[in-house]
Amino acid sequence: MMTDLSKIDVLPPEVRTRLEELKQILHTAEDSKLIGIAAYEAPTEELLTDAILSLYLGKNVLLKGPTGSGKTKLAEHVSAVFHLPMHSVNCSTDLDAEALLGFKTLTHDEQGRSQIAFIPGPIMKAMTKGHMLYIDEINMAKPETLPLINGVLDHRRSITNPFTGEVITAHPNFRVVAAINEGYIGTVPLNEALKNRFVTVEVPYLQGELLFQLLKSRSMLRDDKLLRTFVQLSADLLSLIEMGQLPDEAGSIRALLDACDLAAYIPPMRAVTRAIADKLEDERERAAVMNIAETLL
């Protein structure tokens, strides 16, 4: 998936040149399917520019923001900008070395003889092929799991495969993006050693005219007046989130898009109920969302 670099106005010439060079790399058909789509709408030009420049410089980038703010979309966007296939790791408490690095399995050669083969995981694939690694919800992983890849994330850019004993050094094009949702159930604070291996980019919710354009282009709702009402609903919900009266997920752009899609076919109040309010566990929070909606819709 190619992307138009002319839309990124402030990149230095040497960065543009490098990105154009990366476009010339031929990937297999399978790997090409992993290249993201440049569809992220940045709240500020600086956010996207800083993420791209950091990756150009070989830094690991940590995307920090509330759920539904577009962190994964941003990761896919920079995958497209760099023309690099993106291998994803979705962290959870069950994440282990095999899920990160790969595993051994029994296979058979052409003569039917049994043999043990190592099947590389997302980290090994991204390192050896010079692709992008995306670690989603990195603070959901158990604290004892992530130190396995400390060497991958620092100047060494290498790891000893615990299953084969082989030392793997990353291809020069290898890049790492991670995402974090802070303060959610099941998350743990990142230790300082891991934090220090990243450049942090804050990813806030989209608002105002940019949000309107996003909803207009991506939702099934075609009523501009109603779309602008949903933009105002988002702003009002974010005000309550900032005051601590609603959780971050109440402001999710993903949920707002769902509400707009539903509102193309069912009454807007019912759409807000299904897409936003009913996702909240606290009855008072659900009532707060519906009270705001009633004043607008």
Side-chain angles (χ1 to χ4, degrees):
M1 175 69 187
M2 300 293 183
T3 186
D4 183 6
L5 296 181
S6 66
K7 294 181 180 178
I8 307 170
D9 297 326
V10 294
L11 291 177
E14 62 271 25
V15 179
R16 288 171 172 270
T17 299
R18 180 56 182 153
L19 294 177
E20 292 293 346
E21 290 172 353
L22 288 170
K23 280 186 180 182
Q24 308 310 313
I25 295 176
L26 296 178
H27 299 289
T28 66
E30 199 64 29
D31 285 341
S32 293
K33 294 177 184 176
L34 299 177
I35 297 175
I37 298 173
Y40 175 71
E41 295 290 342
T44 66
E45 186 181 77
E46 291 82 3
L47 188 156
L48 186 54
T49 300
D50 292 353
I52 292 170
L53 284 172
S54 297
L55 289 168
Y56 164 77
L57 293 169
K59 312 296 183 185
N60 307 313
V61 171
L62 180 66
L63 305 178
K64 182 178 173 184
T67 182
S69 58
K71 297 185 294 297
T72 301
K73 281 283 184 188
L74 175 51
E76 292 174 350
H77 191 106
V78 294
S79 164
V81 169
F82 281 82
H83 192 58
L84 293 178
M86 187 173 82
H87 301 266
S88 298
V89 173
N90 296 306
C91 293
S92 69
T93 53
D94 297 326
L95 187 72
D96 57 18
E98 289 190 347
L100 287 170
L101 306 177
F103 58 91
K104 282 185 173 181
T105 188
L106 186 65
T107 63
H108 297 86
D109 61 20
E110 293 178 354
Q111 286 74 43
R113 292 172 299 197
S114 299
Q115 57 187 16
I116 301 295
F118 176 74
I119 308 299
I123 290 179
M124 293 300 191
K125 289 178 182 177
M127 288 180 70
T128 56
K129 294 183 176 184
H131 293 173
M132 184 172 292
L133 174 68
Y134 178 54
I135 311 174
D136 194 18
E137 298 191 65
I138 190 171
N139 57 334
M140 287 288 288
K142 291 180 291 188
E144 60 267 27
T145 301
L146 292 175
L148 285 170
I149 61 171
N150 278 350
V152 176
L153 300 174
D154 64 22
H155 66 280
R156 292 169 289 180
R157 278 299 197 256
S158 65
I159 187 170
T160 300
N161 187 335
F163 302 104
T164 66
E166 181 185 7
V167 176
I168 304 296
T169 300
H171 186 286
N173 291 343
F174 173 64
R175 294 294 183 270
V176 179
V177 178
I180 183 174
N181 294 326
E182 289 191 308
Y184 288 81
I185 295 173
T187 62
V188 293
L190 292 186
N191 65 57
E192 290 303 317
L194 188 58
K195 269 188 185 178
N196 287 336
R197 286 169 163 80
F198 287 93
V199 169
T200 301
V201 175
E202 290 276 354
V203 184
Y205 286 127
L206 207 60
Q207 284 292 284
E209 186 62 24
L210 288 173
L211 178 57
F212 171 74
Q213 294 300 332
L214 176 73
L215 297 179
K216 188 176 176 67
S217 64
R218 296 193 195 166
S219 80
M220 302 183 73
L221 187 60
R222 293 293 172 259
D223 183 334
D224 283 7
K225 182 178 179 182
L226 188 51
L227 284 171
R228 291 198 180 278
T229 301
F230 274 110
V231 170
Q232 185 58 53
L233 172 67
S234 176
D236 292 348
L237 291 176
L238 288 183
S239 294
L240 290 187
I241 290 169
E242 289 172 1
M243 291 187 288
Q245 296 181 25
L246 286 176
D248 283 347
E249 55 262 38
S252 167
I253 302 301
R254 191 181 302 118
L256 191 67
L257 275 166
D258 288 343
C260 289
D261 285 343
L262 289 173
Y265 296 96
I266 66 176
M269 284 294 293
R270 209 160 88 219
V272 171
T273 301
R274 302 290 183 238
I276 301 174
D278 281 355
K279 291 180 181 178
L280 305 178
E281 295 183 7
D282 189 283
E283 185 177 342
R284 290 169 299 177
E285 293 171 351
R286 293 196 296 270
V289 170
M290 297 313 297
N291 286 341
I292 290 176
E294 284 172 1
T295 65
L296 297 172
L297 300 168

